Amino acid sequence: MEFTRINIVFMPPADVAKYVAKLSKEISEKEKAYFILDNKNFYPHITIYTSEYPNCNIKKILDKVEKISKKLSGVKFKFKKIDDDYGYVGVVMHRSKEIRKIHEIIISELNPLREGHIREKFHNSDLSKEEKENIQKYGYPNLINLYSPHITITRLKNEKNAREISKEIKWFKKEFILGKIGVYGMGENGTCTELIKEFKLR
């Protein structure tokens, strides 16, 4: 059986996506980066739920996300902080009740479509007890109580420099509405590389 990494995400508005791509490019000109977001090959996004699924279930994933999207209204992004972790530099948002509810609905509906499959990289990972439990239940560690909605700007090869860069970033928009959910194919470093389909929220 063949599997594909799929990421269900909030798609940021066009002006936000453009600004994130600008930051990603500027940072990469100063430091060595694993990727540069450009809205063509690598897309800004806010992960809701990512996992690896049997290819035969991808249409079912699209059908479920479409049905869920029709019942949801746009949700507000509220800026919390700029952060860095393992070289990743990103914009962290507040995990509101509305965001968490959508996160949990998507997990509940899509998790069965994994058919119990777990990515190879997670089989021998050095993770916390809660992260391991999430992997066993849902196929990914940073979920439910560990879920932190964020927009990654880039990932730098030097983690120390990422910390310094994160302190210099000035974020331009404290609040905005997330009105679309996207289903993406994924590449390395958690990047979204191929938009499979997008769905507007009410």
Side-chain angles (χ1 to χ4, degrees), residues 50-169:
T50 179
S51 198
E52 203 167 68
Y53 299 89
N55 287 352
C56 59
N57 284 342
I58 290 177
K59 186 181 183 303
K60 293 178 183 177
I61 291 169
L62 296 175
D63 290 343
K64 282 187 175 290
V65 175
E66 182 175 19
K67 287 178 182 176
I68 292 166
S69 299
K70 287 178 178 177
K71 298 176 183 177
L72 298 175
S73 299
V75 291
K76 187 177 288 186
F77 177 111
K78 290 188 176 182
F79 174 81
K80 185 177 181 181
K81 62 179 179 177
I82 301 291
D83 201 8
D84 70 279
D85 195 21
Y86 298 105
Y88 287 95
V89 178
V91 185
V92 180
M93 64 186 287
H94 287 280
R95 188 181 63 192
S96 65
K97 289 181 181 179
E98 292 78 15
I99 294 286
R100 176 158 177 155
K101 183 179 178 182
I102 292 172
H103 171 65
E104 292 180 353
I105 289 169
I106 294 283
I107 290 173
S108 175
E109 289 293 321
L110 299 190
N111 185 45
L113 296 177
R114 288 190 306 111
E115 298 186 13
H117 175 71
I118 295 172
R119 283 183 67 198
E120 185 69 31
K121 70 170 284 186
F122 292 138
H123 285 297
N124 298 303
S125 298
D126 182 20
L127 299 169
S128 70
K129 180 182 177 183
E130 192 169 4
E131 287 172 327
K132 288 178 180 177
E133 287 175 353
N134 280 343
I135 288 169
Q136 290 302 314
K137 290 179 183 176
Y138 312 114
Y140 192 74
N142 302 319
L143 303 172
I144 315 296
N145 292 331
L146 300 180
Y147 177 55
S148 174
H150 63 277
I151 305 174
T152 295
I153 298 169
T154 190
R155 185 185 185 189
L156 300 183
K157 295 185 177 183
N158 186 311
E159 291 185 21
K160 182 180 178 182
N161 290 354
R163 279 191 290 275
E164 295 305 313
I165 287 286
S166 68
K167 295 173 185 175
E168 298 173 5
I169 293 173

Side-chain angles (χ1 to χ4, degrees), residues 13-28:
D15 63 331
V16 175
K18 184 177 179 181
Y19 188 75
V20 171
K22 176 176 172 285
L23 288 176
S24 189
K25 184 174 184 293
E26 288 174 353
I27 292 169
S28 71

